[in-house]
Amino acid sequence: MQTVAIKPKNGIKISAEAENISPDKFAGKSEKDIQSLEAWMGNQKTTLGELFTIKAEGTGAVADVKVVMEGDFSRVKRIGEGMTAGLVMIKGNVDMHLGAKMSGGKISVSGNVDSWAGREMKGGELIIEGNAGYYLGAGYRGETCGMRGGKITVLGSALDFLGEHMCGGEIIVKGNAGILAGLSNNGGKIVIEGSTSRPGSEMAKGTIIVGKVDEMMPVFKLEGTEAVDGVSYRKYTGDVIVNGKGVLYVKE
Amino acid sequence: MELLIKNGAVFDPANGIAGDKTDISIKDGKIVDKVSSGAIVIDAGGRLVMPGGVDAHSHIAGAKVNVGRIMRPEDTRAGIKPRTKITRPYTGYTVPNVYAMGYRYAQMGYTTVFEAAQAIMKARHTHEELEEIPIIDKGALTLFGSNWPTMDYVREKNMDKLAAYVAWGLLASRGFGIKVVNPGGGEMWGFGKNVTGLDDVVPNFEVTPRDIIVSLMKVNEMLGLPHSVHLHCNNLGKPGNYKTTLASMELAKQVKPSKDRQVLHVTHVTFNCWGGTNWGDFESKADEIANYLNNSENVTTDMGQLIFGSATTMTADGPVQYANAKLLHAKWANGDVELEDASGVVPIFYVKQVSIHAIMWAMGLELALLTKDPYKVLLTTDHPNGGPFVNYPEVIALLMSNKKRQEEIKTLHEAVHKRTKIPGIERELGFNDIAIMTRAGSAKVLGLLDTKGHLGVGADADVSIYDIKPDQTDPSAEHAKIKSAFQSAAYTIKGGNVVVKDGQITATPMGRTFWVDASVPDEQKEIMMKDIRMKFKNYYSINLANYMVQDAYLTHPYVVRAGVIPVEVS
Amino acid sequence: MSNVITDALCPFCGCMCDDITVVVENNKIIEAKHACKIGAAKIMGHHRIKAPMMRKDKNADFKEVSYDEAINEAARMLANSKRPLMYGWASVLCEVHKKGILLAEELGAIIDNTATVCHGPSTLAVHEKGLPTSTLGQIKNRADVVVFWGSNPVHAHPRHMGRYSVFAKGFFSEKGRRGRKIIVVDVRKTETAGMADEYIQVQQGSDYLVISALRAILAGQAAVVPDTVGGVPKEQLVKLVDTLKAARFGAIFFGMGLTQSMSRYKNIDNAISLTTELNSFGKHVIMPMRGHYNVTGFGQVCAWETGYATAVDFARGAPYYNPGETAANDVLTRKETDAAMIIAGDAGAHFPANSVRHLAKIPVVQIDPYWNPTTEVANVVIPVAICGVEVEGTAYRMDGVSLRYRKMIEPTHPTDLEILEKITKRVIEIRGE
């Protein structure tokens, strides 16, 4: 078991890029080695140790690394990027690209996360107790696939373009989502317990389950009603434009 | 500055040198007889030395390349390298930025590269990018196959006017030669249609692709242009198109070359040697093309080798790109140019287990291995259509090692066994063959063998040294070593400057841009210009006065003179 | 001394009219024939900033300084910055863009252009769907159906209709306006709508839904489309699809009504798909109505130099691109920017209040021939020659055709190019590289 505790040193105004905060990068490294890992703040190259107070105990394989972060990380980007295993627990808010491209392990956040959390995620789990920004579980500009696997849970709400280009995996939002959730969904499962608007545009595959839709896309075929886990939903299929086989459930 | 390369195992096919230990002397950017004792000495230590690589067909600059970049940020991020004290940042894989274009070619030992297509109206853009590509010498071929003046003069059978138009178009675009893409099809794509063979009539212009190809070959030889007509055949991308390709090659018999080179270069044969009638019975007919080449003397080709993974298709063949986009459900850019031609850009991902892709992979190799004379098949990937040029070392290794091919075949869709001949081909090319396909042959096809593609006295001092000792290496068994050596030149010398050492860029001098100034009698030009002025008055959306590429866009020009009037080289 | 320059190019909008005749007397332009009113005004020029100016306190008045002083101070501000922003680039030539990108690399800056507040969303859509388009001459010679969607050329691109899209006559369109069906889709009845054959009124923010409905109808799925979409009756949508399907050559020109309304770039994304799908019936192209004459050029230069069209972040030495994160307003509203250079673009006038408030708090260098709202938040102001009038060079028309601007008169100020070169040199000295 290896535990790494991270706290921000000073108020960070210019976003830091800290893709080295990851169990994969920490595993088997000493406290000093972790502190000297590269980080960037604006155009200044720096180290994790310069930006954060870091305490490390024990050593272990990636899966045995636990990163405990406490404080305001709302200007720290790319935490847990590409991680394959281990645990990152964050008490506080975080900036963009949390857990981007992660393929395993678990990240939990007690606060809010900014845009592109879980971007191009392949596996593992992301739990966000607060709200998420834009493009949750979406792709990078121009890519055909966003999230491909894993699970994202948001206890609060999320903004626009949630799960864009999803090719797999699951996103659950307890609150509301912004416009065009599940845009170009190509095989992912999205559950929005609250409301959203214009969900499922251009979806070819996958499932979207929504509590309430403010504005429906005019491209879905109503197939009747269906019960999911004992709750009655209107079932739609589409997007008819792309001859889509996606299913959209909207609570009765 | 003087430079002496000693102890190299030199492959210089144009001068009949095949692996001999020969010293190469360089002075003031040229290969010379000998240098003084003060010359800087590079000890090649028995390693492979070749002329700098020459690429006669690659999409490195211009409107469609930039469209590829703009529509593919996901590609740009795939090849990022930060700036250094010497180099600007590298970006992209299939659509690199201008800097990566020059650096990566140089790092592979290439020193001369030709952009394969520019519309005259967008040539200014091509040159803006060429100006920013570091190190390499370059040039661009100009599209003439669907231009309204071309078709008018072909219909009128007025070869004098057509020659005058081509000469003027080369000047207007600062182009190097005549490129013809899906002749007639570019015009028809203006209304979403296409030609389906050599004898379809283009509406309103009443000409056929056959007429266009033959006429342009005629004026190409009338003008004595260094390069021949460079043809992207009709029906590209359609099963069964090898027949159109063979029929197009036959047309070369109608014209006599004005120089010691082909009269027709048929490009990226991987895309035009398709048998079958649909995607179900799709098969390779590369052997038929090779057979034709083995029995004729006036046609050359290049491979357009397919590389598995990401590619970006880009061509003036607009209709094939729309078909591709629909087939692949991919994003599609189209960029038709008024009165001139079409264009399209579509990303693709070639997959080993997709039968069509596996068969296409075999086609380029079959062509190169079944054609006896390597001067007739240049090594290209039709960058980035078959795949990015950085994969040339992979292609070299495949050509030199049957073992590598057999290993690769095991990973491919089984169709490669039934629908291609590649599994049974045992031929392995040698360093001399490779030097022809990537140097001497490309220079000869381009008509630049006087200064490019060889290491004789008077040639440009473009030299590459690779970290491989030919006499101690078995390319068949050690194909991985071959590939890595060609990926990263031990030295690349461009115009006498060491630009790469141990695979790293050491200097970034500006290369030159080659273009052809072909003269025609003034009165012939004046008659032609009357028509051009009418075209601008009535149809073009810009004024004639703003059409031609200005001198400002060629800061390092290299002018090759040609024309119906012999002109003294100044 | 009177001098007449023919075939001159207009440095106003993305039409880049190249048929202007300019009359010059004593290095003063006295007439710009053929140009539209706005273009002529632009060519003739107006009050210029006379000399470089500086101030420490943004509430204080400017003091005139020498060019060297202003350049030194600008270089110092930028070289000391950890998150510099270089924004603008609309009304300058491509040669200036190249120097700007080099300086951005040198500084580790974010470089972004005015597209971010107009057609930037179009680029995001191109990433998703590509762009089936053509040169404007294709439309002039061939188009029989032209749609203006959220664009109003009568106002913003006065000669567009005459030269390229509505009245223009060509090889296959010898009847000009009579041979063309003009359709306007907009939230309000614009002047362009007034002269169209058909006007379709869309409810504010509903363009995305309307385009999807058109695509569904085109795909033979009219049955799922509700009776009214975005305020447009279904019959009208069906009729529009029929018109588009019957077109031999259709062109859609979209403007900021589409890029800056709800769903933003997704509207364009959707419209591009509609255009692509229409190509199964006839020939169809789509084109953004670019505003500033060379806003397209910045995208071109930036793409070939960096691989990305705009909003490039050089902080880590290699280009990084992600609008929403790296565009000017993204870093300004997050208050990350700690110094800014605004060149040939007016952030002060066009940015959201939050961004302008932040600009008012940080060191700002302005490079521009003219006093504008950005001047109000600047510390250093460096006046320059006017590109396209006093400086020759390259620009890209809205359809991607590049043309070379002529020099009409001798400049009275140094060029952007000279200023950027000097700042870059000074930055390198300061950084001791």
Side-chain angles (χ1 to χ4, degrees):
Chain A
M1 192 69 191
Q2 183 181 353
T3 308
V4 183
I6 302 179
K7 285 182 183 169
K9 269 186 178 166
N10 301 307
I12 299 174
K13 272 168 79 183
I14 295 170
S15 282
E17 294 198 8
E19 68 274 21
N20 278 330
I21 299 184
S22 154
D24 293 74
K25 305 286 169 62
F26 291 173
K29 283 202 176 72
S30 69
E31 187 172 286
K32 219 175 140 200
D33 287 348
I34 292 172
Q35 284 166 346
S36 60
L37 285 172
E38 182 184 303
W40 284 77
M41 187 196 263
N43 56 21
Q44 307 290 303
K45 191 171 165 179
T46 176
T47 61
L48 291 181
E50 284 291 317
L51 298 174
F52 307 103
T53 308
I54 299 174
K55 292 212 159 57
E57 272 173 27
T59 185
V62 179
D64 298 325
V65 175
K66 186 170 148 189
V67 183
V68 183
M69 303 174 66
E70 206 180 320
D72 182 13
F73 298 95
S74 60
R75 283 289 185 272
V76 183
K77 290 174 178 169
R78 300 170 65 176
I79 295 169
E81 181 173 294
M83 67 186 264
T84 62
L87 192 60
V88 179
M89 292 170 65
I90 305 165
K91 278 186 199 145
N93 300 328
V94 295
D95 205 346
M96 295 174 183
H97 305 293
L98 174 74
K101 290 195 159 181
M102 72 187 279
S103 58
K106 185 171 163 182
I107 302 178
S108 67
V109 186
S110 72
N112 302 327
V113 303
D114 212 316
S115 303
W116 286 286
R119 166 175 59 79
E120 299 172 275
M121 188 170 165
K122 298 189 194 86
E125 200 178 352
L126 198 55
I127 298 170
I128 297 151
E129 292 178 28
N131 299 321
Y134 297 94
Y135 295 102
L136 177 72
Y140 179 67
R141 308 245 172 238
E143 288 285 2
T144 46
C145 268
M147 186 175 179
R148 292 168 190 264
K151 185 176 175 182
I152 302 177
T153 308
V154 181
L155 302 187
S157 293
L159 296 176
D160 304 349
F161 314 132
L162 171 155
E164 186 186 20
H165 289 301
M166 247 176 121
C167 290
E170 190 177 357
I171 302 178
I172 297 165
V173 178
K174 297 283 179 186
N176 305 323
I179 59 163
L180 293 166
L183 178 59
S184 304
N185 187 357
N186 198 23
K189 184 181 175 187
I190 297 171
V191 179
I192 300 161
E193 295 188 5
S195 70
T196 184
S197 189
R198 306 181 182 180
S201 181
E202 296 190 345
M203 81 189 276
K205 279 189 271 183
T207 308
I208 304 177
I209 302 170
V210 189
K212 181 171 170 278
V213 173
D214 296 335
E215 204 164 30
M216 269 295 285
M217 288 299 302
V219 293
F220 281 93
K221 205 180 279 176
L222 182 60
E223 305 281 1
T225 56
E226 200 174 295
V228 181
D229 297 330
V231 182
S232 177
Y233 286 87
R234 285 196 306 279
K235 181 186 177 183
Y236 297 90
T237 56
D239 174 334
V240 297
I241 297 169
V242 294
N243 197 19
K245 306 285 178 274
V247 182
L248 172 64
Y249 292 102
V250 182
K251 210 185 253 180
E252 281 275 83
Chain B
M1 203 189 68
E2 292 183 328
L3 207 59
L4 179 64
I5 302 168
K6 289 181 84 103
N7 299 320
V10 177
F11 283 85
D12 180 10
N15 294 303
I17 300 168
D20 308 349
K21 290 265 183 322
T22 312
D23 290 352
I24 296 164
S25 303
I26 293 170
K27 190 180 176 183
D28 299 332
K30 289 280 183 186
I31 308 283
V32 293
D33 247 346
K34 57 179 176 199
V35 284
S36 69
S37 56
I40 297 167
V41 176
I42 292 175
D43 187 350
R47 290 180 293 180
L48 177 64
V49 175
M50 287 185 177
V54 180
D55 193 343
H57 187 110
S58 181
H59 297 283
I60 56 168
K64 64 194 175 316
V65 179
N66 224 26
V67 165
R69 296 184 187 109
I70 292 171
M71 77 190 265
R72 299 206 67 187
E74 80 280 11
D75 184 83
T76 295
R77 76 167 174 165
I80 301 266
K81 233 171 113 177
R83 75 196 299 252
T84 68
K85 287 218 161 67
I86 298 168
T87 53
R88 306 279 301 263
Y90 292 60
T91 67
Y93 172 60
T94 70
V95 280
N97 63 340
V98 284
Y99 308 114
M101 281 300 177
Y103 302 150
R104 287 183 188 149
Y105 262 115
Q107 284 169 304
M108 293 196 309
Y110 273 70
T111 47
T112 307
V113 182
F114 277 76
E115 160 58 46
Q118 61 173 351
I120 304 172
M121 191 175 179
K122 291 199 167 178
R124 194 173 289 97
H125 180 163
T126 310
H127 288 285
E128 278 222 275
E129 290 194 26
L130 289 178
E131 283 285 299
E132 295 283 306
I133 295 177
I135 302 174
I136 57 174
D137 283 342
K138 59 257 160 174
L141 304 180
T142 303
L143 291 161
F144 284 101
S146 278
N147 303 38
W148 291 3
T150 299
M151 292 191 292
D152 286 346
Y153 300 145
V154 170
R155 183 183 61 247
E156 294 162 11
K157 298 190 168 46
N158 192 332
M159 294 303 106
D160 286 345
K161 273 189 175 180
L162 184 57
Y165 174 62
V166 166
W168 178 77
L170 289 176
L171 172 68
S173 62
R174 302 303 172 108
F176 185 77
I178 300 176
K179 178 72 183 295
V180 183
V181 173
N182 184 24
E187 163 52 30
M188 290 192 66
W189 183 239
F191 283 120
K193 306 267 192 304
N194 197 4
V195 287
T196 63
L198 287 175
D199 296 310
D200 279 11
V201 176
V202 181
N204 302 297
F205 293 91
E206 309 305 321
V207 292
T208 64
R210 178 188 302 275
D211 303 334
I212 295 170
I213 297 167
V214 172
S215 304
L216 285 171
M217 284 192 297
K218 281 184 189 158
V219 304
N220 195 97
E221 301 315 314
M222 276 168 68
L223 290 169
L225 301 181
H227 186 34
S228 68
V229 163
H230 193 115
L231 176 67
H232 160 133
C233 292
N234 298 104
N235 281 334
L236 183 136
K238 292 182 202 156
N241 64 17
Y242 80 102
K243 288 181 189 157
T244 309
T245 305
L246 287 173
S248 304
M249 288 172 154
E250 275 290 320
L251 300 178
K253 289 183 179 155
Q254 299 183 27
V255 182
K256 269 212 184 84
S258 60
K259 324 210 124 159
D260 178 22
R261 53 137 173 79
Q262 74 289 351
V263 285
L264 181 64
H265 181 79
V266 172
T267 190
H268 44 62
V269 170
T270 286
F271 296 92
N272 338 358
C273 63
W274 296 4
T277 56
N278 57 52
W279 299 119
D281 61 5
F282 182 79
E283 62 177 342
S284 168
K285 289 287 183 187
D287 54 332
E288 301 260 358
I289 308 290
N291 187 43
Y292 184 91
L293 292 172
N294 287 336
N295 292 293
S296 79
E297 286 310 319
N298 46 13
V299 181
T300 56
T301 62
D302 62 83
M303 296 166 74
Q305 177 64 31
L306 179 142
I307 301 294
F308 294 109
S310 183
T312 300
T313 64
M314 51 178 67
T315 168
D317 195 337
V320 79
Q321 291 297 61
Y322 183 60
N324 273 340
K326 279 222 290 197
L327 192 72
L328 301 163
H329 299 287
K331 43 190 170 187
W332 172 52
N334 183 74
D336 299 347
V337 180
E338 62 209 56
L339 289 84
E340 294 181 12
D341 220 316
S343 134
V345 183
V346 178
I348 191 168
F349 197 92
Y350 295 119
V351 181
K352 291 185 176 188
Q353 283 302 319
V354 169
S355 63
I356 293 158
H357 297 169
I359 295 165
M360 285 174 67
W361 171 85
M363 289 171 172
L365 298 171
E366 286 177 292
L367 176 78
L369 295 165
L370 295 175
T371 303
K372 288 174 194 147
D373 180 0
Y375 275 99
K376 291 177 182 167
V377 185
L378 308 181
L379 193 156
T380 68
T381 58
D382 185 17
H383 164 87
N385 285 283
F389 64 80
V390 290
N391 294 289
Y392 289 177
E394 165 77 8
V395 183
I396 291 171
L398 285 166
L399 292 171
M400 295 186 83
S401 170
N402 184 33
K403 185 165 169 276
K404 180 177 168 73
R405 293 198 296 270
Q406 298 303 332
E407 285 165 8
E408 184 75 9
I409 286 166
K410 282 185 201 141
T411 69
L412 304 183
H413 189 280
E414 57 176 12
V416 77
H417 290 280
K418 286 176 260 167
R419 309 273 182 78
T420 85
K421 305 232 161 27
I422 198 69
I425 300 175
E426 287 174 2
R427 184 178 175 201
E428 292 180 330
L429 300 187
F431 288 111
N432 205 55
D433 301 317
I434 297 299
I436 292 167
M437 292 176 70
T438 58
R439 272 91 176 155
S442 2
K444 189 175 180 212
V445 164
L446 286 165
L448 289 176
L449 202 49
D450 53 343
T451 57
K452 295 289 182 189
H454 77 104
L455 296 171
V457 170
D460 288 345
D462 300 345
V463 189
S464 31
I465 306 177
Y466 296 104
D467 194 7
I468 200 157
K469 291 179 178 162
D471 56 349
Q472 294 169 29
T473 312
D474 172 8
S476 180
E478 298 170 86
H479 54 78
K481 211 165 142 186
I482 296 288
K483 183 174 165 179
S484 86
F486 278 103
Q487 275 171 335
S488 168
Y491 284 92
T492 304
I493 294 156
K494 164 69 180 52
N497 297 308
V498 175
V499 291
V500 172
K501 189 166 183 296
D502 300 328
Q504 300 302 311
I505 301 289
T506 54
T508 62
M510 178 79 182
R512 294 166 299 171
T513 300
F514 284 57
W515 70 279
V516 172
D517 188 0
S519 54
V520 296
D522 284 346
E523 59 277 16
Q524 200 171 311
K525 184 185 169 189
E526 205 28 59
I527 296 168
M528 182 275 303
M529 284 308 292
K530 274 187 194 152
D531 302 331
I532 296 295
R533 278 190 281 271
M534 281 303 286
K535 292 271 190 291
F536 275 88
K537 187 164 172 280
N538 296 325
Y539 308 130
Y540 270 106
S541 65
I542 63 174
N543 283 3
L544 177 57
N546 294 314
Y547 183 69
M548 301 180 83
V549 173
Q550 294 86 348
D551 288 341
Y553 297 95
L554 287 90
T555 57
H556 297 70
Y558 182 89
V559 188
V560 179
R561 309 267 173 204
V564 291
I565 308 172
V567 173
E568 290 294 311
V569 180
S570 56
Chain C
M1 257 283 289
S2 171
N3 184 18
V4 175
I5 302 161
T6 56
D7 306 295
L9 282 90
C10 173
F12 167 56
C13 79
C15 288
M16 283 177 42
C17 299
D18 72 331
D19 61 344
I20 315 296
T21 300
V22 173
V23 183
V24 178
E25 263 177 30
N26 299 321
N27 206 39
K28 242 192 110 184
I29 297 168
I30 58 162
E31 199 182 352
K33 290 179 197 164
H34 311 305
C36 69
K37 259 191 193 165
I38 327 175
K42 178 97 193 189
I43 294 167
M44 311 281 279
H46 53 95
H47 275 302
R48 304 273 289 274
I49 301 172
K50 278 206 201 85
M53 312 182 290
M54 273 168 42
R55 60 182 175 187
K56 273 223 162 62
D57 175 1
K58 293 200 189 189
N59 294 316
D61 287 338
F62 281 109
K63 250 177 68 186
E64 283 195 5
V65 296
S66 71
Y67 273 97
D68 281 348
E69 268 179 279
I71 285 163
N72 271 341
E73 179 58 12
R76 194 194 59 80
M77 280 162 41
L78 293 166
N80 290 333
S81 166
K82 294 190 174 100
R83 199 72 173 129
L85 168 69
M86 298 167 63
Y87 169 82
W89 315 102
S91 313
V92 283
L93 299 162
C94 296
E95 289 74 8
V96 180
H97 299 152
K98 291 175 200 168
K99 290 285 175 220
I101 290 164
L102 184 61
L103 176 55
E105 266 180 38
E106 203 63 60
L107 288 168
I110 283 180
I111 187 161
D112 192 13
N113 77 324
T114 54
T116 196
V117 286
C118 58
H119 273 285
S122 316
T123 307
L124 298 184
V126 173
H127 301 335
E128 299 289 330
K129 297 288 176 60
L131 190 70
T133 190
S134 72
T135 63
L136 286 162
Q138 284 289 84
I139 293 151
K140 159 182 160 152
N141 283 298
R142 297 174 197 267
D144 55 352
V145 175
V146 176
V147 180
F148 293 99
W149 198 310
S151 65
N152 185 13
V154 171
H155 249 209
H157 301 84
R159 297 185 71 207
H160 190 278
M161 296 186 298
R163 281 173 62 82
Y164 312 123
S165 55
V166 177
F167 304 105
K169 292 178 183 175
F171 191 80
F172 300 101
S173 55
E174 65 280 3
K175 288 190 194 144
R177 174 69 181 92
R178 281 183 300 122
R180 280 193 187 100
K181 183 147 191 167
I182 308 298
I183 299 160
V184 169
V185 187
D186 216 311
V187 293
R188 62 197 168 84
K189 192 154 185 187
T190 59
E191 294 88 334
T192 311
M195 52 192 296
D197 298 300
E198 195 175 346
Y199 165 57
I200 295 171
Q201 186 158 29
V202 177
Q203 265 168 17
Q204 184 81 40
S206 297
D207 302 277
Y208 190 86
L209 301 171
V210 171
I211 299 166
S212 285
L214 293 172
R215 290 177 65 195
I217 294 165
L218 188 66
Q221 299 281 359
V224 308
V225 174
D227 292 343
T228 310
V229 179
V232 186
K234 185 171 172 180
E235 306 86 77
Q236 202 176 5
L237 294 171
V238 170
K239 199 178 133 215
L240 176 57
V241 169
D242 288 342
T243 305
L244 292 170
K245 268 166 81 172
R248 222 175 147 208
F249 189 111
I252 298 174
F253 291 100
F254 62 93
M256 282 164 63
L258 208 51
T259 65
Q260 299 293 338
S261 66
M262 184 171 161
S263 295
R264 288 172 52 104
Y265 78 94
K266 297 301 182 190
N267 296 332
I268 316 305
D269 177 313
N270 216 357
I272 291 170
S273 288
L274 172 66
T275 309
T276 300
E277 287 150 9
L278 280 166
N279 273 277
S280 293
F281 301 91
K283 187 65 187 266
H284 290 266
V285 298
I286 182 165
M287 197 183 296
M289 293 286 258
R290 305 302 295 260
H292 289 290
Y293 76 97
N294 198 24
V295 69
T296 305
F298 181 84
Q300 295 289 342
V301 175
C302 198
W304 76 58
E305 305 238 325
T306 75
Y308 301 120
T310 184
V312 179
D313 181 359
F314 282 107
R316 294 176 70 163
Y320 173 71
Y321 167 80
N322 192 24
E325 180 180 8
T326 60
N329 280 300
D330 301 328
V331 277
L332 283 172
T333 50
R334 286 166 66 110
K335 302 184 171 58
E336 288 194 31
T337 308
D338 58 354
M341 168 194 281
I342 314 285
I343 172 167
D346 191 357
H350 302 298
F351 275 10
N354 265 344
S355 297
V356 179
R357 266 200 292 277
H358 186 63
L359 280 173
K361 287 184 191 138
I362 59 171
V364 172
V365 184
Q366 183 191 27
I367 302 177
D368 208 295
Y370 297 113
W371 191 294
N372 61 32
T374 298
T375 320
E376 308 294 337
V377 296
N379 299 84
V380 179
V381 178
I382 306 178
V384 283
I386 299 171
C387 280
V389 176
E390 301 170 341
V391 188
E392 67 172 321
T394 322
Y396 284 72
R397 202 165 69 171
M398 62 167 70
D399 58 353
V401 170
S402 72
L403 294 169
R404 187 166 186 84
Y405 275 74
R406 284 150 208 277
K407 185 187 202 174
M408 302 174 192
I409 51 173
E410 287 302 320
T412 48
H413 295 71
T415 64
D416 299 89
L417 219 54
E418 291 163 344
I419 299 296
L420 286 177
E421 272 172 359
K422 283 183 175 165
I423 292 176
T424 307
K425 192 165 161 253
R426 194 68 198 105
V427 163
I428 292 169
E429 284 167 10
I430 293 170
R431 293 232 169 135
E433 278 168 14

